[in-house]
Amino acid sequence: MKTFKDALQRLRHLLPGERLLIDPAHLAAYESDGLTAFAVTPRAVVIAETSQEIIETVRICHDTGIPFVARGSGTSLSGGSLPHSDGIIIALNRMDRILEIDPRQRIAVVQPGTINLAVSVAARSHGLQFAPDPSSGQVCTIGGNIAFNAGGAHCLKYGMTSNHVLGIKAVTAEGTVIELGNRSTESTGPDLTGIFCGSEGLFGIALEITLRLVPKPECFHTVFASYDSLQKAGDAVSQIIASRMLPGALEIMDKLAIEAAEAAVGAGYPRDSEAVLIVELEGTSAQVEHDRNRLSGLLDDSGADVIHVAGDDLERERIWKGRKSAFSAVGRLSPDFIVQDGVVPRRLLGKALRKIQEIARQHKVRVANVFHAGDGNLHPLIMYDGRVEGALEQGEACAAQIVQMCTDMGGSITGEHGVGMEKRAFLGNMYSEDDINLMHRVRRGFDPKEIANRGKMFPSGEAPSLSLYGLHPLEKKGIISRE
Amino acid sequence: MVIPHGNLTKAALVSMDADKKIVPVDMTQLRGILNYDPDEFVFTALAGTPVSEISKTLAEHGQFLPFDPPFSSSGATLGGTVAAGLNGPGQFRYGGVRDFIIGVKFIDGAGQKLKGGGKVVKNSAGFDFPKLFVGSLGRLGILYELTFKVFPAPQAYMTLSFNPGNIQSALDTACLLAGSSLEPFAIDIVPPGRLEIRIGGNEKANESTAGLIEKCAGFPASRMTGQMESETWDKLRDFKWAQEEFLIKVALNPSLLCELDNILEKIEASRHYSAAGNVAYISTERNNLLFIDDTLKKMKLSGVALRGDLEYPRLGWHPARKAETKIQSAMDREGKFLPL
Ligand SMILES: Cc1cc2nc3c(=O)[nH]c(=O)nc-3n(C[C@H](O)[C@H](O)[C@H](O)COP(=O)(O)OP(=O)(O)OC[C@H]3O[C@@H](n4cnc5c(N)ncnc54)[C@H](O)[C@@H]3O)c2cc1C
């Protein structure tokens, strides 16, 4: 393809050879992201070290019409960083500098490849932290967090990534540098920072991000309670919410997830229970002191078998390690699994979980459940063995039915992992054709050639894409493959 | 062209032209709470609903709008609050209107009904139009239905007044408390040098937090609770102190506060700072407008007039204008709304 050759030639002028990968052996590392069922080989990978290189690369792509995908750490669970087979990957993981921490204003200015956890580590000595804490925080990047509006275990109280981003300097897919927001928690004019967050990389690439930092709570009170039914754990959550407390986190894990987490890290959850509820109170010691007595009363009356309060920071960390390792721990129970992400109104959690078990039985798959119970965000982990013919398809069919269930209940197709590749077919469950057309128009305002993350988020039409069911035409031709 | 409006508490945003080419769309009759589910922390209301009505309903269930909407006793509507992008002093604790809006329905220039976001507290599907509409100044579409996340309200409040005497020390103390783990609800600075700190929670807890706040600040405060306390903040939220024709909001940051304050002092403009120095409100006469606009531009600060008769309400520095124009032309192909 001539245009690609043109683009390559211009990229060679821009970058040293070791940062422009075209050798298939090198490209292989970029074929997949956290949604490992899909793999696509890009034509080239640009490893950027400066904003200027990113801007120039994007301009070359725009001039030649070559699609590009920005990539942070490639941990997207919805195929967000899956390459385009005619396009290039712009790898941002070397753009990982924290440019500024201003403790007085409580802000951090970072490059997009900065690791999520690194921000909190850098802010720690000032008694501050970056609130969004996805389980992948040790590896995922702020750029990826922004694109997918990543969440974590503390969203009910603190919100998502976008609630902690004050300003973004970005290059649009057209190659124009734009500055959105500022260094203030206030703004005037429409909140463009807000819509850039969660735009799934379809507007362009974030180059520099101003983050809001919050003081670390003075004290924590972390408890887990185990139950002989999921329903009881769910009811306990409703009781806590109704009591006017605002816990920092409310998490539930089911039997399979408990088993997996115990095998992986030994967090101390009772293995024979059907459900574990983790509640974390945080705040000033006076307020926590007051709330912990109420919480203790509520849990005592909730029919819990075991109630355990973390005695110190180490124990608190262990409780969280168990929860945060649950995704990867399920790898011990099954060679492959799909991490599903959906939201239902909180009061319907119990019903949703029963329905998921039913759906799983119907498709003859095992499903482990971990969820952010405080905000109704489910994460069913659907297990399958990719070596068995038809197993992936069965898992996907199960996943699809769960997504459908979420919107039938008035919830969302994704709480925090984004639509990406995986859920494009379901965007229409939530939005009308007119709504989606508006999204198209806004995207084209920044990306008239639709080169940024082409083929993602939108239901269909703009590029050949993988379907969730059966073989994709490109797979049949052997151009792309699933692993 | 059309300009939607509520009860005109932010009249500067509703420009009326002499030759009546701009058609005002009065939203105040489109009112009412459509759905409120205390257990879900979520409500949906029509855009013309007064925020005071919403606050009252929420309070019956021990909940509140944590961004503390301004002008509520003057009749501010929910839609107007979102379009103006206004937060009250209480935003310091849990965030502003952008942090609590989760769903919008609106009419575009072609008369189509559109929507963005959803009705559950967590949702990352599709572009975040609810946030985009915050500060949209009635120029991206007509909001008609809004969904918000809410929180349980603190059981009681207490206000601590400090009087360090000058703006620099008031700001220093404000920053110290803002970065502490004492979780104040509001940190307001009243020139020439007073500091108002609001805390909330269980009454007993408030007492002990108040002690810690005084210790952190390094000097004693006068304390206020009960009705007098809440009235103090009601007045602030309604800008009772702002007597001049124009009321201007400036998105500020603490590093620039003293410099701006010195300039405003020289022109004798009344002013108030909220959210630990993240926002300034200026009350001034017309003859200062050009100077303030110019000052903001030089300091790279953005502002918007809320009250006063102006053809175009925005002042100061707006680096995102290019991007705003892109979005506006994508959303309003018919050019039915005023340019941003
Ligand atoms: C074990 C595990 C646990 C996880 N737990 C959570 C969780 O608790 N909560 C949660 O929300 N997610 C979770 N995730 C999902 C994932 O980590 C997040 O979506 C994360 O934000 C992705 O970051 P990344 O750096 O890996 O981005 P990538 O996967 O590299 O990219 C994701 C998307 O962002 C775009 N992008 C990347 N950088 C930029 C940029 N600078 N500008 C514009 N677009 C950009 C990419 O094009 C792509 O579309 C988990 C994933 C794993 C594997």
Side-chain angles (χ1 to χ4, degrees):
Chain A
M1 224 167 40
K2 188 171 170 297
T3 48
F4 187 75
K5 269 198 187 139
D6 290 346
L8 204 57
Q9 200 168 9
R10 288 176 64 185
L11 289 172
R12 284 206 173 99
H13 282 295
L14 182 68
L15 298 148
E18 71 274 14
R19 292 199 285 116
L20 176 61
L21 313 181
I22 44 167
D23 179 348
H26 291 144
L27 299 180
Y30 296 87
E31 278 176 356
S32 283
D33 59 11
L35 185 69
T36 49
F38 295 147
V40 176
T41 310
R43 298 287 295 268
V45 174
V46 164
I47 300 176
E49 286 187 349
T50 65
S51 290
Q52 202 50 40
E53 285 174 358
I54 299 173
I55 296 167
E56 294 300 331
T57 304
V58 167
R59 286 182 180 156
I60 293 169
C61 288
H62 176 70
D63 290 349
T64 52
I66 303 282
F68 67 84
V69 176
R71 185 179 171 111
S73 295
T75 65
S76 166
L77 291 168
S78 57
S81 39
L82 192 74
H84 191 284
S85 53
D86 294 329
I88 66 166
I89 288 282
I90 304 179
L92 303 172
N93 41 327
R94 289 200 191 167
M95 299 273 299
D96 64 350
R97 273 184 305 138
I98 296 178
L99 303 172
E100 182 190 345
I101 299 255
D102 183 337
R104 197 170 142 94
Q105 292 196 53
R106 300 173 312 289
I107 57 176
V109 182
V110 305
Q111 291 189 324
T114 304
I115 300 296
N116 168 291
L117 194 65
V119 181
S120 283
V121 169
R124 194 176 287 159
S125 63
H126 305 291
L128 301 171
Q129 63 177 351
F130 179 56
D133 64 338
S135 305
S136 50
Q138 288 180 346
V139 281
C140 67
T141 65
I142 297 296
N145 293 168
I146 282 185
F148 274 25
N149 199 9
H154 293 82
C155 292
L156 178 65
K157 184 167 179 182
Y158 288 97
M160 319 276 291
T161 296
S162 64
N163 302 107
H164 299 271
V165 178
L166 302 180
I168 297 172
K169 183 171 153 195
V171 56
T172 68
E174 270 185 302
T176 311
V177 176
I178 53 174
E179 277 184 57
L180 315 176
N182 53 35
R183 291 164 72 92
S184 172
T185 56
E186 279 271 7
S187 60
T188 65
D191 189 347
L192 298 194
T193 311
I195 196 166
F196 194 97
C197 290
S199 61
E200 305 212 350
L202 297 175
F203 295 171
I205 301 184
L207 302 171
E208 212 176 280
I209 303 119
T210 305
L211 303 172
R212 177 163 82 104
L213 303 173
V214 296
K216 279 173 80 74
E218 186 189 349
C219 89
F220 293 97
H221 175 70
T222 311
V223 190
F224 74 71
S226 69
Y227 296 88
D228 60 11
S229 80
L230 274 167
Q231 184 71 42
K232 282 187 189 162
D235 289 347
V237 169
S238 302
Q239 291 292 321
I240 293 167
I241 292 289
S243 77
R244 290 179 64 170
M245 264 183 274
L246 183 61
L250 277 167
E251 302 278 310
I252 295 182
M253 298 166 72
D254 76 356
K255 192 175 178 62
L256 273 177
I258 296 166
E259 249 175 54
E262 275 308 298
V265 300
Y269 310 143
R271 274 180 193 249
D272 52 353
S273 50
E274 289 292 324
V276 162
L277 165 67
I278 302 172
V279 189
E280 184 161 272
L281 301 175
E282 34 148 82
T284 59
S285 42
Q287 187 63 41
V288 170
E289 186 61 40
H290 175 257
D291 286 346
R292 66 182 284 172
N293 293 329
R294 288 199 295 158
L295 176 66
S296 151
L298 282 175
L299 290 180
D300 285 343
D301 295 342
S302 69
D305 297 325
V306 178
I307 300 175
H308 182 83
V309 179
D312 52 31
D313 281 352
L314 266 179
E315 238 188 312
R316 171 176 178 254
E317 265 165 42
R318 201 164 64 230
I319 292 179
W320 275 115
K321 200 165 171 205
R323 164 61 188 86
K324 294 210 168 192
S325 68
F327 286 4
S328 29
V330 166
R332 291 172 176 252
L333 303 182
S334 166
D336 302 289
F337 59 94
I338 299 169
V339 182
Q340 189 51 285
D341 162 47
V343 184
V344 297
R346 185 171 32 226
R347 67 175 183 289
L348 299 180
L349 268 179
K351 191 172 159 199
L353 288 164
R354 279 198 303 279
K355 189 94 210 266
I356 290 173
Q357 280 162 351
E358 227 173 80
I359 294 171
R361 265 198 305 276
Q362 218 176 311
H363 292 279
K364 299 192 178 63
V365 293
R366 287 197 304 164
V367 177
N369 281 288
V370 292
F371 45 99
H372 307 303
D375 39 28
N377 189 185
L378 309 162
H379 287 315
L381 305 163
I382 301 158
M383 299 178 232
Y384 69 95
D385 183 346
R387 291 163 303 190
V388 176
E389 199 170 325
L392 169 65
E393 288 71 18
Q394 203 129 31
E396 286 182 333
C398 174
Q401 228 174 312
I402 294 174
V403 181
Q404 186 64 45
M405 172 202 79
C406 288
T407 46
D408 287 349
M409 290 183 167
S412 170
I413 60 173
T414 167
E416 53 182 24
H417 295 170
V419 178
M421 210 59 189
E422 182 204 20
K423 294 204 175 128
R424 296 171 318 150
F426 298 97
L427 196 66
N429 281 22
M430 296 185 64
Y431 302 110
S432 71
E433 213 179 306
D434 289 340
D435 300 335
I436 294 175
N437 282 338
L438 175 68
M439 294 182 203
H440 270 298
R441 288 205 303 278
V442 169
R443 185 266 185 97
R444 279 187 215 118
F446 297 113
D447 181 10
K449 294 188 177 171
E450 302 183 352
I451 54 173
N453 256 340
R454 177 180 290 173
K456 310 275 171 68
M457 198 184 95
F458 288 112
S460 63
E462 61 173 14
S465 53
L466 293 154
S467 93
L468 274 177
Y469 313 103
L471 284 183
H472 180 269
L474 290 178
E475 286 178 285
K476 286 184 190 149
K477 284 195 217 147
I479 296 172
I480 56 171
S481 65
R482 303 182 191 206
E483 290 183 333
Chain B
M1 285 206 270
V2 296
I3 179 87
H5 69 83
N7 272 323
L8 298 174
T9 56
K10 282 86 64 178
L13 303 180
V14 190
S15 33
M16 306 286 182
D17 56 338
D19 45 0
K20 303 251 161 38
K21 281 214 185 90
I22 305 169
V23 182
V25 181
D26 182 347
M27 301 297 290
T28 51
Q29 297 310 305
L30 203 64
R31 61 190 279 179
I33 297 174
L34 300 178
N35 180 53
Y36 171 36
D37 202 337
D39 291 345
E40 297 293 330
F41 283 2
V42 168
F43 76 85
T44 300
L46 291 170
T49 316
V51 288
S52 58
E53 186 180 318
I54 291 163
S55 297
K56 201 165 145 255
T57 306
L58 296 179
E60 283 161 15
H61 293 86
Q63 298 184 343
F64 77 143
L65 283 169
F67 60 92
D68 203 13
F71 296 111
S72 69
S73 31
S74 325
T77 61
L78 196 59
T81 302
V82 171
L86 285 193
N87 310 304
Q91 65 164 302
F92 185 77
R93 178 73 189 94
Y94 293 116
V97 55
R98 78 186 297 265
D99 300 305
F100 289 88
I101 187 167
I102 55 176
V104 287
K105 289 191 177 170
F106 57 100
I107 311 273
D108 73 356
Q112 288 189 105
K113 283 181 167 183
L114 297 167
K115 78 163 189 286
K119 292 195 169 166
V120 278
V121 293
K122 199 169 183 185
N123 169 27
S124 66
F127 296 160
D128 198 341
F129 286 110
K131 280 202 185 58
L132 180 69
F133 270 94
V134 174
S136 59
L137 308 174
R139 292 161 191 240
L140 285 180
I142 303 180
L143 291 166
Y144 67 91
E145 193 186 299
L146 301 133
T147 302
F148 277 87
K149 163 170 138 174
V150 296
F151 274 170
Q155 283 163 350
Y157 287 109
M158 181 192 277
T159 292
L160 289 93
S161 291
F162 292 97
N163 203 347
N166 65 64
I167 201 81
Q168 181 70 56
S169 357
L171 177 67
D172 289 345
T173 310
C175 288
L176 202 65
L177 291 170
S180 77
S181 53
L182 296 168
E183 305 190 341
F185 274 64
I187 301 184
D188 277 32
I189 299 170
V190 192
R194 214 174 72 234
L195 190 60
E196 304 282 358
I197 309 290
R198 191 177 210 200
I199 55 176
N202 160 265
E203 247 170 62
K204 223 173 97 206
N206 284 351
E207 281 293 336
S208 85
T209 305
L212 292 173
I213 285 184
E214 286 180 332
K215 211 161 132 194
C216 177
F219 36 95
S222 62
R223 299 184 185 187
M224 220 184 344
T225 52
Q227 196 176 340
M228 219 169 79
E229 195 269 356
S230 66
E231 280 171 7
T232 308
W233 293 97
D234 288 344
K235 276 189 219 146
L236 262 180
R237 241 179 260 117
D238 265 3
F239 295 90
K240 294 278 191 256
W241 58 271
Q243 295 296 327
E244 306 295 340
E245 184 189 353
F246 290 89
L247 176 63
I248 298 161
K249 166 186 156 174
V250 177
L252 185 63
N253 58 67
S255 316
L256 296 174
L257 189 147
C258 289
E259 186 185 340
L260 180 67
D261 193 69
N262 283 334
I263 297 171
L264 295 173
E265 169 74 36
K266 286 202 185 100
I267 57 166
E268 293 178 11
S270 346
R271 62 239 181 242
H272 183 95
Y273 305 96
S274 198
N278 277 281
V279 61
Y281 288 97
I282 307 168
S283 168
T284 187
E285 300 150 14
R286 182 177 291 273
N287 57 9
N288 282 331
L289 275 188
L290 271 180
F291 175 74
I292 291 176
D293 185 34
D294 209 40
T295 303
L296 296 181
K297 281 196 179 107
K298 282 190 190 129
M299 294 180 74
K300 294 194 169 180
L301 291 171
S302 75
V304 61
L306 304 174
R307 284 201 304 227
D309 188 14
L310 267 175
E311 222 164 85
Y312 181 68
R314 301 176 76 183
L315 299 123
W317 193 64
H318 295 283
R321 185 152 294 147
K322 227 171 15 185
E324 287 174 3
T325 309
K326 295 251 179 208
I327 292 218
Q328 189 168 32
S329 39
M331 293 186 68
D332 178 24
R333 287 172 298 175
E334 294 74 18
K336 293 282 188 222
F337 295 95
L338 299 172
L340 270 165

